[in-house]
Amino acid sequence: MVTIRDVAKESGFSSTTVSIVLNDAPLARYIPVVTKKRIERAAEKLGYRPNQFARSLRSKRSHTVGVMVFDMTDPYCTLVLRGIENTLYQASYLPILTDVHNERSRFERYLEMLLDRRIEGLIVLANWLFLDINLLADLEKSSIPTTLIGCELKGDSMSSVIVDNEVGGYAALEHLHSLGHRKIAFIRGPKTLADSSPRWRGIRKCTKERGLDIDNQLVVDLPDSRDPLSSFEAGQKLTEEFIKQKREFTALLAFDDMTAFGAIRALDKHGWRVPERCSVTGFDDVAASALCTPPLTTIRQPMEAMGAGAVGIVLEGINSVLEKREVAAQHRKVAPQLVVRDSTRKAG
Amino acid sequence: MVTIRDVAKESGFSSTTVSIVLNDAPLARYIPVVTKKRIERAAEKLGYRPNQFARSLRSKRSHTVGVMVFDMTDPYCTLVLRGIENTLYQASYLPILTDVHNERSRFERYLEMLLDRRIEGLIVLANWLFLDINLLADLEKSSIPTTLIGCELKGDSMSSVIVDNEVGGYAALEHLHSLGHRKIAFIRGPKTLADSSPRWRGIRKCTKERGLDIDNQLVVDLPDSRDPLSSFEAGQKLTEEFIKQKREFTALLAFDDMTAFGAIRALDKHGWRVPERCSVTGFDDVAASALCTPPLTTIRQPMEAMGAGAVGIVLEGINSVLEKREVAAQHRKVAPQLVVRDSTRKAG
DNA sequence: GATCTCATGTAAATCGTTTTTTTAACTTGC
DNA sequence: GCAAGTTAAAAAAACGATTTACATGAGATC
């Protein structure tokens, strides 16, 4: 390995000067161009690459941010991660990826490992979160800029980026209603999931505004489960029960895309064609939604933008810390978007 | 931050002794238990955490491996990443995740960044690879243990883990044939993709063994494209052309699941019910395959195991390097598995 | 002519570990 | 009584950068 001293020797200057030139430090303005050129040429010639450990040890910077996902296999993650990666790349930061598997012990272990690596910022992707929220509160102590995606923790130290669930729930029902559907089945989210209640609130808002009645017999909740795949199975089972109980409905509003996929499976099994006999809507717009047949009408979360936004907040935070400014937590709520595909159509 | 010197002061011993005790270094065997206890208690009390930069600088180890993905949005990645993460976790390594977006410049930049971080190993997920293979050959120089997933580079320095495409292609066709299908349409992979030709070879092997005729009019290739989503669109378009040309077939063997989804969309659009009128098979078993309706019969790549296997090889390599043993590249070819779901059924 | 500022550079301290080398006392075995 | 280990601990030398403080001469200012 070639060190800064090798470059110093090769160029004929001291390692101090080499460091100053190569980093374009403030003092570099006193250094004549010819000197700079000579040093740069020497570094080039030797293929010098600064040792990041030494650099970090001295400067206390790692140029690294931690990314903590609660369940990588949730298809929701993919695009968010892409957004995170892309924005970090442009800022020359690298992400350390950890997957908590929704387990407390893993969360704690990974958090320690990340702090040991002196990550400068942290992004937590907590969309499908079934852990004690206190776990996250612990993060507040760490004093490194942190942004939560998909779950909000009111408070002054941790930022968050979430989708406007209420607007999304409203839009989903509005879509079905304006297609003429009046008998609608609902599969709500698990009670302990933060997204569930605002989505339902949006739905209720829409029923009130439009004077739509909801049949309580047509409303069920997904069970609590750490496994995001469970919402597929539960969606299927719950829909099947609706059918077996001979409930009448022309549309089904599912908590998320996974649930919708499960519902469609159940409907198909019992000969209810989608969308002819029953329209179905989802929420999220995961990759599969555009791929399956019929493609799913759903409420899209702007996942890539959310990832990018989270990184933006964290980078701002890092800069604030560097310049010893105060950092105030930001709470962004981004608008979802109705994506009309073929799983919904006019009633009747 | 509390340093080793603080622990030394607190415990009343020198920092040398503290280091030896806390790392359980060879010399620790000369240190009496009471001393150890006292030092450990002091460390505990102060909440001492060694500075990883200093440690790495001295020991030249980073406990980090690089993960380079060619396109994160390819749903193929998810489970492989899970396998990688999980295995690294058990070995107390952390992954730095990079996404090359199938772009040469990004590849080069990221590679430099990773080498600067002194990653101890590298895993390249190159399943959908449209870059000059020479790019990968450059890696050989870096002398850090590297494993390719999804693409093989014969040679002595880089390991690989790939699926046995030939066996997979064979199994897919064998399945359709044994269901009685004789008129089968084929959508092959892009010519420049490494997987394409062995899969086709497996198919040809099966036709020969079973005396099945292939109608060349029913064989088409996916176009070259960097975007994995393109195989959905191409699958749709090519299938539509088959139909418009009034070709007769009772089954369609698609290059991968994405292609199969596209094909199903086209078939559905023209009123060909799957599987009643036409059976369809895919390859990979991405998450969506089990979720869509009808669920897709496909050839599963054991993605999680492949990720785990790649990490295993890399860790072996790291240990070999540490002990100055010679490292020989390993080339593992893992068996795929036929997963029968509802997109295929008996002909006729 | 004394004092300042600027321009150009270097020596030395520092970051927080790990590792090698020393020191020194205490056992053995002969 | 002494060479050869063993036990216990510390001093000092890395690791490879960055940064602070200092040195020197030249020109400007008062």
Side-chain angles (χ1 to χ4, degrees):
Chain A
M1 274 292 92
V2 25
T3 78
I4 199 173
R5 270 182 280 271
D6 298 324
V7 179
K9 208 162 289 172
E10 172 78 21
S11 66
F13 294 93
S14 73
S15 54
T16 307
T17 310
V18 173
S19 174
I20 289 170
V21 169
L22 262 27
N23 291 306
D24 201 24
L27 281 175
R29 97 194 108 108
Y30 295 131
I31 299 200
V33 183
V34 292
T35 305
K36 288 185 182 171
K37 280 263 175 293
R38 228 181 306 170
I39 288 176
E40 277 155 9
R41 205 146 327 149
E44 177 92 18
K45 179 181 162 197
L46 300 181
Y48 169 67
R49 307 243 88 209
N51 181 313
Q52 296 300 318
F53 297 145
R55 200 205 274 271
S56 292
L57 175 58
R58 187 67 236 244
S59 65
K60 299 188 174 326
R61 301 207 47 193
S62 68
H63 265 273
T64 300
V65 316
V67 177
M68 236 174 177
V69 174
F70 269 80
D71 188 337
M72 258 293 294
T73 63
D74 186 338
Y76 178 86
C77 294
T78 312
L79 272 184
V80 179
L81 284 179
R82 168 59 74 98
I84 292 174
E85 178 269 341
N86 203 25
T87 314
L88 286 177
Y89 177 74
Q90 275 148 34
S92 289
Y93 278 76
L94 283 177
I96 294 183
L97 178 67
T98 61
D99 179 357
V100 168
H101 294 208
N102 247 309
E103 281 167 30
R104 182 187 194 91
S105 62
R106 259 185 193 244
F107 175 89
E108 283 163 353
R109 174 94 197 285
Y110 265 141
L111 184 57
E112 266 193 354
M113 291 173 85
L114 290 177
L115 293 177
D116 281 352
R117 306 287 176 126
R118 301 288 195 279
I119 49 168
E120 297 186 38
L122 177 61
I123 292 173
V124 179
L125 186 39
N127 57 308
W128 191 261
L129 173 67
F130 280 100
L131 290 185
D132 197 354
I133 206 88
N134 291 329
L135 213 61
L136 294 182
D138 281 357
L139 274 176
E140 310 220 51
K141 290 177 294 193
S142 77
S143 87
I144 63 171
T146 301
T147 301
L148 253 51
I149 300 180
C151 137
E152 198 173 13
L153 216 62
K154 282 298 183 192
D156 218 31
S157 73
M158 220 179 319
S159 299
S160 62
V161 177
I162 58 173
V163 73
D164 193 326
N165 281 301
E166 191 166 334
V167 166
Y170 185 99
L173 182 53
E174 183 185 42
H175 170 66
L176 290 174
H177 184 261
S178 65
L179 286 174
H181 294 281
R182 293 301 177 264
K183 288 183 174 304
I184 302 172
F186 297 89
I187 303 181
R188 296 192 294 197
K191 286 221 176 53
T192 52
L193 204 62
D195 294 325
S196 302
S197 99
R199 266 180 222 180
W200 183 245
R201 206 159 51 235
I203 289 170
R204 293 316 311 235
K205 189 171 165 219
C206 183
T207 61
K208 261 167 229 152
E209 285 184 13
R210 302 202 158 208
L212 177 67
D213 270 343
I214 290 186
D215 177 358
N216 279 328
Q217 308 259 346
L218 283 175
V219 179
V220 291
D221 293 341
L222 289 175
D224 290 344
S225 162
R226 322 194 108 157
D227 181 7
L229 209 73
S230 73
S231 66
F232 173 82
E233 285 151 18
Q236 186 173 1
K237 218 187 73 205
L238 295 169
T239 305
E240 211 153 318
E241 277 166 21
F242 281 146
I243 295 176
K244 282 191 183 141
Q245 293 161 10
K246 307 252 188 267
R247 309 247 176 262
E248 272 309 312
F249 54 98
T250 65
L252 186 150
L253 191 158
F255 172 66
D256 64 6
D257 289 353
M258 288 291 175
T259 314
F261 295 144
I264 290 176
R265 176 74 53 85
L267 294 168
D268 183 80
K269 182 177 161 194
H270 291 272
W272 291 39
R273 294 269 296 171
V274 176
E276 291 83 350
R277 170 74 196 278
C278 179
S279 289
V280 176
T281 65
F283 203 112
D284 285 346
D285 195 22
V286 299
S289 305
L291 264 26
C292 61
T293 300
L296 191 65
T297 293
T298 190
I299 306 296
R300 171 183 297 161
Q301 297 202 41
M303 304 185 263
E304 201 161 345
M306 290 169 75
V311 172
I313 295 177
V314 162
L315 292 180
E316 267 182 53
I318 292 174
N319 289 328
S320 296
V321 169
L322 285 179
E323 297 161 14
K324 302 189 193 324
R325 288 195 314 251
E326 264 315 302
V327 215
Q330 297 182 38
H331 296 280
R332 291 191 198 164
K333 197 182 270 187
V334 305
Q337 192 192 351
L338 171 70
V339 180
V340 179
R341 298 210 185 89
D342 301 342
S343 68
T344 51
R345 72 159 59 166
K346 280 223 170 69
Chain B
M1 272 294 91
V2 24
T3 76
I4 200 173
R5 269 183 283 270
D6 298 322
V7 179
K9 207 162 291 172
E10 172 77 22
S11 66
F13 295 92
S14 73
S15 54
T16 308
T17 310
V18 173
S19 173
I20 288 170
V21 168
L22 261 29
N23 293 307
D24 201 23
L27 280 176
R29 95 193 109 108
Y30 294 132
I31 298 196
V33 182
V34 293
T35 305
K36 288 185 182 172
K37 280 265 176 291
R38 228 183 302 171
I39 288 177
E40 278 155 8
R41 205 143 331 148
E44 178 91 17
K45 178 181 164 198
L46 301 180
Y48 169 66
R49 308 242 85 209
N51 181 312
Q52 296 299 319
F53 298 145
R55 200 204 272 274
S56 292
L57 175 58
R58 185 65 234 243
S59 66
K60 297 185 175 327
R61 300 206 48 191
S62 67
H63 264 276
T64 299
V65 315
V67 177
M68 238 175 174
V69 173
F70 269 79
D71 188 337
M72 259 292 294
T73 63
D74 186 339
Y76 178 86
C77 293
T78 311
L79 273 183
V80 179
L81 284 179
R82 167 61 73 99
I84 292 173
E85 178 268 343
N86 203 22
T87 314
L88 286 177
Y89 177 73
Q90 275 149 34
S92 288
Y93 277 76
L94 283 177
I96 294 182
L97 177 67
T98 63
D99 178 357
V100 167
H101 295 207
N102 247 310
E103 281 167 30
R104 182 189 194 90
S105 63
R106 256 181 133 94
F107 175 90
E108 283 164 352
R109 175 94 198 287
Y110 266 140
L111 184 56
E112 266 194 352
M113 291 173 84
L114 291 177
L115 294 177
D116 281 352
R117 304 287 175 126
R118 300 288 196 280
I119 50 168
E120 296 186 38
L122 177 61
I123 292 172
V124 180
L125 186 41
N127 58 309
W128 192 263
L129 173 67
F130 280 99
L131 289 185
D132 196 352
I133 205 90
N134 290 329
L135 214 59
L136 294 182
D138 281 357
L139 273 176
E140 311 221 50
K141 289 177 295 193
S142 77
S143 86
I144 63 172
T146 300
T147 301
L148 253 51
I149 300 179
C151 136
E152 199 173 15
L153 216 63
K154 282 298 183 193
D156 219 30
S157 72
M158 220 178 321
S159 299
S160 62
V161 176
I162 58 173
V163 73
D164 192 326
N165 281 301
E166 190 167 335
V167 166
Y170 185 98
L173 183 53
E174 182 185 41
H175 170 65
L176 290 174
H177 184 261
S178 65
L179 285 174
H181 294 282
R182 294 300 177 265
K183 286 181 175 307
I184 301 172
F186 297 88
I187 302 182
R188 297 191 294 197
K191 287 220 173 54
T192 52
L193 204 61
D195 295 324
S196 302
S197 99
R199 265 180 223 181
W200 184 246
R201 205 159 51 236
I203 290 170
R204 294 314 314 233
K205 189 170 166 221
C206 183
T207 60
K208 259 166 230 152
E209 285 183 13
R210 301 202 158 207
L212 176 67
D213 269 344
I214 290 185
D215 177 357
N216 279 330
Q217 308 259 348
L218 284 175
V219 179
V220 290
D221 293 340
L222 290 175
D224 290 344
S225 163
R226 321 194 109 159
D227 181 9
L229 210 73
S230 74
S231 66
F232 173 82
E233 286 150 18
Q236 186 174 2
K237 218 186 72 205
L238 294 170
T239 305
E240 211 152 318
E241 276 166 22
F242 280 147
I243 296 175
K244 282 191 182 141
Q245 291 162 12
K246 309 248 187 272
R247 308 250 177 261
E248 274 307 313
F249 54 97
T250 65
L252 186 151
L253 189 157
F255 172 66
D256 63 7
D257 289 353
M258 288 290 174
T259 314
F261 295 143
I264 290 174
R265 177 73 54 85
L267 293 168
D268 183 80
K269 182 177 162 194
H270 291 271
W272 291 38
R273 295 268 297 170
V274 176
E276 292 82 352
R277 170 74 197 276
C278 180
S279 289
V280 175
T281 65
F283 203 112
D284 284 347
D285 196 23
V286 298
S289 304
L291 263 27
C292 62
T293 301
L296 192 64
T297 294
T298 190
I299 305 296
R300 171 184 297 161
Q301 298 201 40
M303 303 185 265
E304 202 162 344
M306 289 169 77
V311 171
I313 295 177
V314 161
L315 292 179
E316 268 182 52
I318 292 175
N319 288 328
S320 296
V321 168
L322 284 179
E323 298 161 13
K324 301 187 194 329
R325 287 195 312 252
E326 264 315 303
V327 215
Q330 298 181 39
H331 296 280
R332 293 192 197 161
K333 197 182 271 187
V334 306
Q337 191 192 352
L338 172 70
V339 179
V340 179
R341 300 208 184 90
D342 301 342
S343 70
T344 51
R345 71 159 58 167
K346 280 224 171 67

